[in-house]
C-alpha cells in the first residue's frame, strides 16, 4: 500500500514547511487545491510557486488534487507545471476528452476523483477512459475529518467494474481504517492529519506503510 502525505494549506509557507517535514522519507507528495466554490475552503493555489517547489525538490513526485468548480481551466493551468498526477473531480467534470488529450501531451496521469455520493453508473461510462481513481472518504476541503464507511462500498464497486484500476483513498486514514481499505481493494492512501498532527510524522507515515 503506497502512502502519500497530503498537504492541505492556505499559504505557500505552510506548503514548503510540510514538504520539508516529509522530504527525508516520502517520495510522493499530495497537494490539495480548493477554490472556495467546490468546497467552502480556499487553499494555496499558485502554479508559479509550484515551479519553485519542483526546482527545489527535483526527486519528488507530486500529485495535485483539484477540488474546484472549473476543472478544465484548473487542469490546463496546473498541467503547465507537469506534476506526475492530477486528480480531477467527477462531480464538476465537463470535458474529459480535452483533459485526457492535454494529459497525454504533457505526460501526466489523470486520476478521476469520486465522492461517496457520486453516481457510479455514470462513472462506469468512463471506465474505458480512466484506470486511476480516487475515493474521497470525507467532505471535500478540510483535513482531520472522520472516515466515511460508505467509501468501502465505492472502492468495491470500482473494483467490480474495473479489475485493474488503481484506487487511492483520501480522508480519515489511520492505522485502523487503512486495513479496511486494503481489504476492500485500495492501492494507496493520502493522509494529512494522521501524519502531520503526529509528534513524529515519519513514525506515523511508517505506521500506515506497515499496517
Amino acid at each position: 500500500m503506497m502512502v502519500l502525505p497530503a498537504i492541505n494549506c492556505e499559504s505557500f509557507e505552510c506548503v514548503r514547511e510540510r514538504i520539508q517535514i516529509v522530504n527525508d522519507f516520502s517520495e510522493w507528495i499530495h497537494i490539495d487545491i480548493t477554490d472556495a466554490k467546490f468546497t467552502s475552503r480556499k487553499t494555496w493555489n499558485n502554479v508559479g510557486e509550484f515551479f519553485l517547489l519542483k526546482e527545489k525538490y527535483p526527486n519528488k513526485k507530486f500529485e495535485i488534487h483539484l477540488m474546484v468548480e472549473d476543472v478544465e481551466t484548473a487542469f490546463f493551468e496546473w498541467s503547465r507545471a507537469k506534476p506526475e498526477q492530477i486528480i480531477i473531480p467527477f462531480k464538476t467534470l465537463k470535458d474529459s476528452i480535452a483533459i485526457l488529450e492535454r494529459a497525454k501531451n504533457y505526460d501526466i496521469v489523470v486520476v478521476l476523483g469520486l465522492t461517496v455520493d457520486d453516481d457510479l453508473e455514470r462513472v462506469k461510462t468512463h471506465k474505458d477512459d480512466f484506470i486511476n481513481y480516487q475515493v474521497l472518504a470525507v467532505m471535500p476541503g478540510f483535513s482531520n475529518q472522520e472516515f466515511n464507511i460508505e467509501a468501502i462500498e465505492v472502492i468495491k464497486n470500482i473494483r467490480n467494474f474495473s479489475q485493474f484500476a488503481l484506487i487511492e483513498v483520501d480522508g480519515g486514514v489511520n492505522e485502523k481504517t487503512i486495513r479496511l481499505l486494503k481489504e476492500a481493494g485500495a492501492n494507496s492512501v493520502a493522509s494529512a492529519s494522521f501524519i502531520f498532527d503526529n509528534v513524529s510524522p515519519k513514525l506515523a507515515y511508517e505506521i500506515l506503510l506497515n499496517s
Side-chain angles (χ1 to χ4, degrees):
M1 176 77 79
M2 188 167 75
V3 177
L4 292 80
I7 294 175
N8 187 299
C9 287
E10 295 182 358
S11 70
F12 184 48
E13 291 72 21
C14 173
V15 173
R16 286 189 303 182
E17 287 172 5
R18 297 210 160 185
I19 291 176
Q20 191 58 41
I21 287 171
V22 301
N23 182 43
D24 291 338
F25 58 84
S26 181
E27 178 185 17
W28 279 88
I29 294 171
H30 170 114
I31 302 178
D32 288 335
I33 305 295
T34 64
D35 62 357
K37 296 176 183 178
F38 185 87
T39 176
S40 60
R41 184 161 181 255
K42 184 175 177 61
T43 62
W44 169 82
N45 181 0
N46 189 307
V47 177
E49 291 175 340
F50 180 70
F51 274 105
L52 299 177
L53 293 175
K54 288 197 70 178
E55 288 178 8
K56 185 173 182 179
Y57 301 99
N59 296 322
K60 293 300 174 197
K61 295 181 179 179
F62 289 96
E63 177 177 75
I64 300 298
H65 184 188
L66 298 178
M67 290 177 277
V68 297
E69 198 69 33
D70 188 348
V71 185
E72 288 73 21
T73 298
F75 185 90
F76 274 58
E77 177 69 8
W78 276 94
S79 64
R80 293 191 300 111
K82 296 185 178 180
E84 279 67 27
Q85 297 189 166
I86 299 180
I87 303 169
I88 58 172
F90 178 72
K91 197 178 297 294
T92 53
L93 178 63
K94 297 181 181 66
D95 191 348
S96 60
I97 294 175
I99 283 179
L100 290 170
E101 185 63 29
R102 175 87 169 186
K104 182 179 179 181
N105 292 337
Y106 281 74
D107 195 24
I108 296 169
V109 173
V110 182
V111 182
L112 190 61
L114 308 176
T115 60
V116 295
D117 59 352
D118 279 325
D119 183 349
L120 288 179
E121 289 303 313
R122 286 185 57 228
V123 174
K124 281 172 65 175
T125 65
H126 293 272
K127 68 179 182 178
D128 293 331
D129 299 322
F130 296 93
I131 191 71
N132 294 73
Y133 297 86
Q134 186 217 55
V135 178
L136 193 59
V138 294
M139 292 293 291
F142 294 87
S143 58
N144 202 25
Q145 296 185 61
E146 186 175 342
F147 178 78
N148 188 337
I149 196 66
E150 293 179 29
I152 297 296
E153 289 305 312
V154 178
I155 297 166
K156 291 179 179 178
N157 281 321
I158 295 171
R159 186 61 68 207
N160 283 338
F161 69 71
S162 184
Q163 181 183 356
F164 300 107
L166 297 175
I167 305 172
E168 174 186 307
V169 180
D170 183 6
V173 176
N174 57 41
E175 74 275 25
K176 295 179 181 178
T177 57
I178 194 170
R179 296 189 186 103
L180 299 176
L181 299 174
K182 270 187 178 181
E183 292 172 4
N187 304 98
S188 62
V189 296
S191 173
S193 57
F194 185 80
I195 292 175
F196 289 107
D197 290 352
N198 197 289
V199 174
S200 171
K202 182 178 181 181
L203 177 61
Y205 174 86
E206 291 174 347
I207 287 172
L208 293 179
L209 204 60
N210 297 315
S211 291

